[in-house]
Amino acid sequence: MNGFLLLVPFFLIRFGLMARLDHASLARAAHFAPMRGGERAAYLVYQLANAGILLYPLFLTVPAELSWPTAAGAALYLGGLALCSASVICFARPDARGLNRNGVYRYSRNPMYLAYFLCFAGMAVLTRSWGLLALVLVFQVCAHRVILAEERECLARFGEPYRQYIEQVRRYL
């Protein structure tokens, strides 16, 4: 099986499900906070890694074999898809102020980014690709800088409720 096919369920969840639940949430999810200093470079590398993650699987295959890497990759991949689904459902239903603190957002301030990491890491394991895994790791390191900018914007926008949310809920896990 071509590795790119693993992205089809991801796209259906990330874009299709989100649009079906709340079309306006697509615009909110596509918004990136203003970047400062080194965050701009991290954002550029983040976008390049993202492009690599989306294109590189076109040249990869998933071996049709039962093995521990297949099982581990499938677990990561399916766990990422499940978390992505839960994140999208909650993201499409923020509170009256526009803040997401329901569902999986009670346990992680960034469950969608965590879902992406799990899904993409699972794809790297399923395709046995060290190159894709390297792209995923670069993506995640740079995503952390993007997240810091988003948190700064959320603090400015939501104020004290977001500050309390930060104190109660971890950034990732």
Side-chain angles (χ1 to χ4, degrees):
M1 174 176 89
N2 185 281
F4 186 80
L5 293 176
L6 294 170
L7 286 168
V8 172
F10 172 78
F11 288 140
L12 289 172
I13 293 165
R14 171 62 178 79
F15 298 104
L17 179 60
M18 189 177 285
R20 180 143 172 84
L21 294 172
D22 176 34
H23 200 269
S25 64
L26 284 174
R28 284 188 302 112
H31 170 74
F32 284 93
M35 305 288 156
R36 298 180 184 164
E39 292 169 346
R40 290 184 186 118
Y43 176 74
L44 175 62
V45 174
Y46 167 87
Q47 291 295 3
L48 291 171
N50 194 25
I53 290 168
L54 299 179
L55 295 174
Y56 191 39
L58 284 167
F59 307 99
L60 302 173
T61 58
V62 177
E65 64 183 34
L66 293 176
S67 63
W68 75 265
T70 301
L76 285 169
Y77 174 73
L78 294 172
L81 290 179
L83 181 57
C84 192
S85 297
S87 300
V88 162
I89 290 167
C90 296
F91 186 82
R93 297 183 177 126
D95 67 17
R97 290 177 298 236
L99 186 58
N100 291 359
R101 295 184 296 185
N102 57 334
V104 293
Y105 285 88
R106 290 180 292 169
Y107 308 103
S108 170
R109 296 195 310 264
N110 299 284
M112 245 190 277
Y113 283 106
L114 184 58
Y116 299 164
F117 176 74
L118 293 173
C119 182
F120 298 154
M123 288 173 53
V125 175
L126 282 168
T127 59
R128 315 294 196 276
S129 174
W130 289 103
L132 183 56
L133 183 60
L135 282 170
V136 171
L137 294 174
V138 168
F139 171 85
Q140 194 61 33
V141 167
C142 293
H144 178 72
R145 298 295 299 268
V146 171
I147 288 167
L148 295 177
E150 288 177 359
E151 288 182 345
R152 187 174 54 247
E153 184 179 50
C154 286
L155 276 169
R157 180 175 176 200
F158 299 113
E160 188 57 31
Y162 192 76
R163 187 176 319 283
Q164 291 172 0
Y165 179 57
I166 285 174
E167 291 174 7
Q168 296 168 351
V169 178
R170 292 176 182 217
R171 183 174 286 133
Y172 300 110
L173 291 176

